[in-house]
């Protein structure tokens, strides 16, 4: 069975949002006797310039063959592209014809503008999720998932998460064994589950050696304690100033922000996958006060703990 895959681009798209999925499908197609045929699409066809300046040749969307799957790339140009009536109409039509409609990173803005995410769960890169939720309040935006499937619509986090999404699609089409071999060929992890925290993935990519890595592990096992910069610096045998500088260089954020995200990650896991009372979860993960934890959940996830528990029970 040959499946036709469309990759939709627009000016200033992110090149890896397109080429990562293209490479994964291409490798899978070679392994499974041309299982996929790929077409790169845009509104008018021709060369479309990415944000890096590299351009890809495309076919006009109106000339697209019937698609099994459509993937919308993300990129800086997504906010302008989402206002294009022709692209919105194309996406709405594909939602009724294609088996799956997907987005990588800020490609979700185009799906949202076309009305395809209304009332659905969706994700995007953690830096874009707040804007997505603000512009489209009917979407249940999860800023922390690697990718999410809600019915026939799939959304994913930034850049490399598009490869995770496509590996999940390939596994559904051709089986886990083929998807695993594709990941091996691409030398990427097989395969980060959709529900894995973007924040965990970010920490996993930080410096894996030395005192900062040890401190990250220590924080995870001491979340209920008072984790000030001074306490963490003492644990690392560093001055607070040097510790803060080294931590930010390794992890990409302040110690205080990382501690809160680790607490949120642990609290969310317990909220969604246990019946531990919310008050006890707040104490065990260092929030101490359930109201403080509720405010943090609302700020980062857009939902209070009780609502996230109910949603998890229904899924």
């Amino acid at each position: 069975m040959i499946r036709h895959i469309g990759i939709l681009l627009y000016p200033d798209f992110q090149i890896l949002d397109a080429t990562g999925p293209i490479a994964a499908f291409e490798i899978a197609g070679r392994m499974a006797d041309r299982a996929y045929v790929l077409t790169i699409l845009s509104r008018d066809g021709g060369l479309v310039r990415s944000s890096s300046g590299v351009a890809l040749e495309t076919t006009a969307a109106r000339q697209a063959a019937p698609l099994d799957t459509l993937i919308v790339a993300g990129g800086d140009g997504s906010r302008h592209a989402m206002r294009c009536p022709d692209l919105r109409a194309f996406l709405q039509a594909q939602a009724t014809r294609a088996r799956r409609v997907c987005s990588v990173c800020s490609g979700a803005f185009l799906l949202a503008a076309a009305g395809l995410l209304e009332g659905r769960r969706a994700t995007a890169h953690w830096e874009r999720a707040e804007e997505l939720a603000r512009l489209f309040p009917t979407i249940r935006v999860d800023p922390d998932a690697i990718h999410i499937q809600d019915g026939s619509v799939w959304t994913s986090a930034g850049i490399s998460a598009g490869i995770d999404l496509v590996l999940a699609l390939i596994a559904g089409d051709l089986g886990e064994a083929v998807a695993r071999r594709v990941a091996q060929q691409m030398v990427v992890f097989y395969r980060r589950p959709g529900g894995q925290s973007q924040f965990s993935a970010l920490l996993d990519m930080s410096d894996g050696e030395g005192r900062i890595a040890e401190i990250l592990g220590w924080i995870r096992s001491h979340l209920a304690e008072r984790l000030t910069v001074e306490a963490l610096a003492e644990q690392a045998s560093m001055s607070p100033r040097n510790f803060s500088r080294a931590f930010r260089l390794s992890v990409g954020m302040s110690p205080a922000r990382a501690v809160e995200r680790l607490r949120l990650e642990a609290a969310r896991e317990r909220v969604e996958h246990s019946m531990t009372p919310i008050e006890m979860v707040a104490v065990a993960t260092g929030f101490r006060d359930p109201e403080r934890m509720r405010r943090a959940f609302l700020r980062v996830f857009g939902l209070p703990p009780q609502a996230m528990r109910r949603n998890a029970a229904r899924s």
Side-chain angles (χ1 to χ4, degrees):
M1 178 180 178
I2 296 177
R3 298 171 174 85
H4 290 264
I5 310 295
I7 311 291
L8 182 63
L9 309 183
Y10 45 81
D12 289 326
F13 71 95
Q14 164 56 240
I15 190 84
L16 190 57
D17 283 5
T19 56
I22 288 169
F25 278 125
E26 183 259 329
I27 293 168
R30 284 194 277 111
M31 291 178 175
D33 193 22
R34 282 180 50 81
Y36 298 111
V37 173
L38 293 164
T39 305
I40 306 176
L41 303 168
S42 67
R43 187 187 69 175
D44 299 319
L47 285 173
V48 176
R49 187 180 183 274
S50 71
S51 56
S52 69
V54 175
L56 296 181
E57 184 67 38
T58 68
T59 296
R62 63 182 177 275
Q63 298 174 351
L67 298 176
D68 173 83
T69 301
L70 176 66
I71 297 178
V72 182
D76 292 341
S78 59
R79 312 314 189 278
H80 181 75
M82 75 180 188
R83 295 192 289 271
C84 174
D86 292 336
L87 290 180
R88 290 200 302 269
F90 174 71
L91 290 169
Q92 290 161 355
Q94 291 303 318
T96 66
R97 300 169 186 166
R99 182 165 62 101
R100 302 176 293 212
V101 177
C102 315
S103 64
V104 180
C105 192
S106 50
F109 285 85
L110 278 77
L111 299 190
L116 305 189
L117 299 181
E118 188 169 347
R120 296 183 188 268
R121 291 181 64 239
T123 194
H125 189 283
W126 60 272
E127 288 189 321
R128 307 286 181 262
E130 182 179 350
E131 181 186 2
L132 182 66
R134 185 178 69 254
L135 291 177
F136 302 98
T138 63
I139 302 172
R140 291 178 287 146
V141 178
D142 183 338
D144 213 30
I146 298 293
H147 58 77
I148 289 175
Q149 177 189 7
D150 191 329
S152 61
V153 179
W154 296 63
T155 54
S156 71
I159 305 183
S160 65
I163 297 173
D164 295 289
L165 182 149
V166 172
L167 289 173
L169 300 181
I170 291 168
D173 293 343
L174 306 176
E176 295 283 344
V178 173
R180 188 181 301 276
R181 288 170 58 204
V182 171
Q184 290 170 342
Q185 286 289 312
M186 298 184 74
V187 197
V188 298
F189 286 111
Y190 181 79
R191 58 187 164 85
R192 295 182 295 181
Q196 180 180 339
S197 164
Q198 290 186 42
F199 182 64
S200 269
L202 187 65
L203 291 185
D204 289 343
M205 289 185 286
S206 67
D207 184 1
E209 299 179 355
R211 282 177 289 184
I212 301 303
E214 292 175 3
I215 284 295
L216 287 170
W218 187 86
I219 292 171
R220 282 186 169 114
S221 60
H222 294 79
L223 289 174
E225 298 182 15
R226 185 172 171 80
L227 300 176
T228 63
V229 171
E230 290 74 17
L232 297 177
E234 182 179 354
Q235 182 67 27
S237 300
M238 299 171 69
S239 72
R241 182 177 179 181
N242 286 340
F243 172 77
S244 293
R245 184 166 55 246
F247 190 96
R248 186 181 288 274
L249 184 63
S250 176
V251 179
M253 64 185 66
S254 70
R257 186 178 181 192
V259 167
E260 183 187 61
R261 291 307 301 262
L262 287 169
R263 283 177 168 152
L264 280 166
E265 183 180 291
R268 179 177 182 171
E269 174 68 21
R270 298 184 192 198
V271 164
E272 292 187 327
H273 300 292
S274 80
M275 293 307 296
T276 304
I278 299 297
E279 294 79 6
M280 293 180 64
V281 173
V283 171
T285 55
F287 287 102
R288 301 176 184 274
D289 179 4
E291 177 58 24
R292 182 182 172 196
M293 186 174 82
R294 188 187 75 86
R295 290 196 300 268
F297 267 61
L298 283 170
R299 185 176 70 254
V300 175
F301 302 131
L303 289 172
Q306 293 84 349
M308 295 190 75
R309 177 166 280 177
R310 287 194 298 270
N311 289 344
R314 288 197 296 264
S315 62

